[in-house]
Amino acid sequence: MEQQDGDFGKETEEEAVTEPKTLKAPKTSCKKTKSSSSATNDYETEARFSRLKLFEKVMQKSLDNFIEIASFNRFTSTFRPLHKKNPQRMESIYKQFIEELKGAIRVDITRLIEEGRLETKLYELDKLESDAKNKMDPAWRPSGVPEQDLCSFLMPYYQKQETYMRRELKKIQADNAVLTEKVLAGRERLSHTEHHISAAVEDWKISVTEFEKLASALSPDVTDL
């Protein structure tokens, strides 16, 4: 028991000694932030055409910085007795922990991109930027009067809607004119058919009348026989 207490005291002393070393991390983090900011600037100049590519590079850089902060020394300082007993086992546990942590973070980033439709939105931003380069007119700026700004924003939309409705109305009117011609042509054919039928009926009536006259004229001769 005394030996264990002595070992525990030595471990606490070692932790107290190693504690100030971890306080130097902010200096390195400042350097890292400066380097990361310069790296992001380089990414913006190199990959300005693709915001998604820039986003993936920034996320990868952030992931690398995060994993670097979770170093093996910090990990073993938390589990110092286990590390002293079996350093190789502790190293394998640390590697497995880091791999699973990276995988979980990558899955969360992918889910964030999919749920937020980030790829589509970043592509739209890239397209807007490329289209803006070809436009010589100055971009819209607020005038300071909300009514004028609202009108200037809504009027083009309503004008487009009016143009669209007029175009659709012309299409409907043209279709109605075609249908009207078809209906008139059908009525004309129907009237011709009715005229032919009535003429055929009249001819049939005349032929029936003539047949009856002929039958009545021949009927006395038949009775005499």
Side-chain angles (χ1 to χ4, degrees), residues 114-132:
E114 292 176 354
E115 292 179 356
R117 299 176 59 195
L118 193 60
E119 183 176 358
T120 303
K121 293 178 181 178
L122 291 177
Y123 173 74
E124 290 177 355
L125 286 175
D126 294 335
K127 187 176 180 181
L128 289 174
E129 184 179 2
S130 62
D131 293 340

Side-chain angles (χ1 to χ4, degrees), residues 52-105:
L52 181 62
K53 186 177 180 180
L54 175 62
F55 176 79
E56 291 176 352
K57 288 183 178 180
V58 171
M59 288 294 103
Q60 184 62 39
K61 186 67 177 178
S62 300
L63 178 60
D64 294 339
N65 291 335
F66 178 76
I67 296 301
E68 188 176 354
I69 291 173
S71 61
F72 181 70
N73 293 329
R74 289 178 181 271
F75 187 78
T76 55
S77 64
T78 307
F79 306 99
R80 194 178 297 277
L82 296 176
H83 177 62
K84 286 183 177 181
K85 289 182 180 179
N86 195 344
Q88 295 179 352
R89 179 62 177 169
M90 182 59 64
E91 186 176 358
S92 64
I93 292 173
Y94 172 75
K95 289 180 180 180
Q96 183 178 359
F97 168 74
I98 290 298
E99 291 299 325
E100 292 182 358
L101 181 62
K102 285 182 180 180
I105 293 174

Side-chain angles (χ1 to χ4, degrees), residues 13 42 44 46-48 56-57 86 103 106 108 146 156 159 166 170-171 173 178 205 210 221:
E13 288 177 359
D42 294 335
E44 288 178 355
E46 293 176 359
R48 184 174 294 179
E56 291 176 352
K57 288 183 178 180
N86 195 344
R106 288 194 181 98
D108 291 337
Q159 288 175 354
R166 290 182 183 277
K170 288 181 180 179
K171 289 181 180 180
Q173 289 175 350
V178 173
K205 287 181 179 179
E210 291 179 353
D221 296 337

Side-chain angles (χ1 to χ4, degrees), residues 7 39 46 125 143 163:
D7 293 337
E46 293 176 359
L125 286 175
S143 63
T163 304

Side-chain angles (χ1 to χ4, degrees), residues 5 8 16 19 26 36 78 108 111 124 138 150 170 206:
D5 294 336
F8 181 77
E19 191 87 30
S36 62
T78 307
D108 291 337
R111 188 178 302 167
E124 290 177 355
L150 184 62
K170 288 181 180 179
I206 293 171

